[in-house]
Amino acid sequence: MKIAISAESTIDLPKELLSLYDIHTLPYTIILGDKEYLDGEILPEQIFKFYEDTKTLPKTSAINTIQYQEHFNSLLKDYDGVIHFCLSSEISSSCKNAMEASSKFKNVYVVDTKSLSTGIALQAIYASNLVKEGLDIKDVYESALKRVPYVQASFVLKKLEFLYKGGRCSALSYFGANLLQIRPQIILKDGKMGPHKKYRGNMEKVVKNYCEDTLAEFNNPDLSIGFVTYTTASDEMLKIAKDSLINRGFKTIYCTKAGATISSHCGENTLGILYINDGGENL
């Protein structure tokens, strides 16, 4: 049986990794004022420049049921089945739309990843590897579901401006963070974004402390693969984050840049380390 692994553009993988793991994507729509762009056609830097010039937050449009139906139908021309990995249902209505669309097909399965960015990628890559091993579609799907609760997806950011204006943090938290120059850690828990630890200082110091704390708290990683994912970051920030994963013993480490959709919600100077925290027990 030929199985397609699919996700939205919020998977935040460059073309070469999508090709390597044979993952198919469909894009979100980014709205800047009265203009619309597909995620992948516009760079995060253009989004940040738009906000700097207009003080208007970019908007993202959920993928609708018809778009998913067209996507699945297109894949089924070349594949016998599809497993699609969705942005968390707690973040976007897209997942609900994907599940509704999948009900129109016999062999399309949708995974609510309860995650975002390369937290989605970790799950899709795992499924892709199982497909290459020749597992049945239901076995791949059920194996993927078992790992969903173990995905460690978190990040630190310099400013809360984008999250606040996008309605994802309270005015009180925003005011306090700005006043005290706090660099918050945001973590995905049960599919929802929420504050975790708080840091202060320059971003290089913040990233170092964040990586140390995260690896100490979520201390049972599957060391086969880890991600450093960012919107914008200095070379030193990236080196610190990557070295933290190297020192912990991760075998494969990818540094990836977040796409336009994720960047629209997080803003500049956002960086996270992401991995599956189950020790590889579900492999």
Side-chain angles (χ1 to χ4, degrees):
M1 185 179 194
K2 196 176 179 184
I3 304 167
I5 300 300
S6 170
E8 294 115 29
S9 57
T10 46
I11 194 172
D12 284 349
L13 289 181
K15 290 180 180 179
E16 57 267 25
L17 290 183
L18 291 173
S19 176
L20 177 64
Y21 292 106
D22 197 19
I23 298 170
H24 305 265
T25 60
L26 73 163
Y28 273 74
T29 299
I30 314 297
I31 304 167
L32 301 183
D34 59 356
K35 295 183 179 179
E36 294 187 358
Y37 304 87
L38 293 179
D39 192 352
E41 291 180 349
I42 185 169
L43 298 174
E45 287 82 3
Q46 293 172 269
I47 289 171
F48 303 144
K49 181 66 165 56
F50 171 82
Y51 178 74
E52 182 184 335
D53 291 342
T54 66
K55 298 305 176 187
T56 300
L57 199 69
K59 297 178 181 179
T60 56
S61 176
I63 299 169
N64 63 45
T65 305
I66 293 174
Q67 288 172 303
Y68 281 113
Q69 287 178 355
E70 292 174 349
H71 176 68
F72 296 149
N73 197 45
S74 176
L75 288 175
L76 290 170
K77 292 177 182 177
D78 298 311
Y79 293 86
D80 303 307
V82 178
I83 303 176
H84 181 80
F85 291 82
C86 268
L87 177 65
S88 173
S89 61
E90 298 290 344
I91 294 174
S92 171
S93 61
S94 292
C95 190
K96 179 182 176 182
N97 295 339
M99 289 183 174
E100 183 179 339
S102 71
S103 68
K104 310 293 182 183
F105 301 91
K106 182 180 179 181
N107 258 342
V108 176
Y109 297 82
V110 174
V111 176
D112 180 356
T113 67
K114 301 291 184 181
S115 196
L116 51 65
S117 190
T118 47
I120 301 170
L122 287 160
Q123 300 176 57
I125 288 171
Y126 172 61
S128 175
N129 288 335
L130 293 182
V131 168
K132 290 174 183 176
E133 291 174 13
L135 270 69
D136 177 82
I137 190 168
K138 287 187 178 179
D139 290 335
V140 176
Y141 172 68
E142 289 170 2
S143 296
L145 287 179
K146 290 178 183 178
R147 303 200 86 182
V148 170
Y150 298 98
V151 177
Q152 187 290 124
S154 64
F155 50 94
V156 283
L157 61 165
K158 188 174 183 179
K159 294 181 180 180
L160 278 170
E161 196 165 9
F162 273 55
L163 284 178
Y164 165 62
K165 291 194 173 183
R168 299 185 188 275
C169 83
S170 70
L172 184 61
S173 297
Y174 174 64
F175 177 76
N178 278 356
L179 187 66
L180 300 173
Q181 293 188 316
I182 290 171
R183 319 303 187 197
Q185 176 188 15
I186 305 296
I187 196 165
L188 271 287
K189 186 175 182 181
D190 299 324
K192 298 178 182 179
M193 288 194 294
H196 200 50
K197 295 183 183 295
K198 298 176 181 178
Y199 302 96
R200 296 180 70 178
N202 65 55
M203 284 302 291
E204 286 74 17
K205 177 184 176 183
V206 167
V207 168
K208 183 176 187 297
N209 292 335
Y210 153 73
C211 290
E212 289 175 352
D213 289 347
T214 300
L215 289 164
E217 181 176 359
F218 301 96
N219 60 1
N220 187 36
D222 172 2
L223 294 173
S224 64
I225 184 170
F227 279 93
V228 176
T229 302
Y230 63 99
T231 58
T232 60
S234 68
D235 290 343
E236 183 63 18
M237 287 166 61
L238 294 176
K239 183 179 185 305
I240 290 167
K242 186 173 182 179
D243 285 349
S244 73
L245 297 184
I246 291 172
N247 293 336
R248 183 59 182 83
F250 281 84
K251 297 176 180 64
T252 298
I253 301 166
Y254 293 121
C255 288
T256 63
K257 193 166 186 177
T261 301
I262 298 300
S263 296
S264 293
H265 294 289
C266 297
E268 297 179 87
N269 279 294
T270 299
L271 180 147
I273 55 173
L274 303 93
Y275 52 88
I276 302 181
N277 192 52
D278 64 359
E281 293 174 5
N282 287 303
L283 292 173

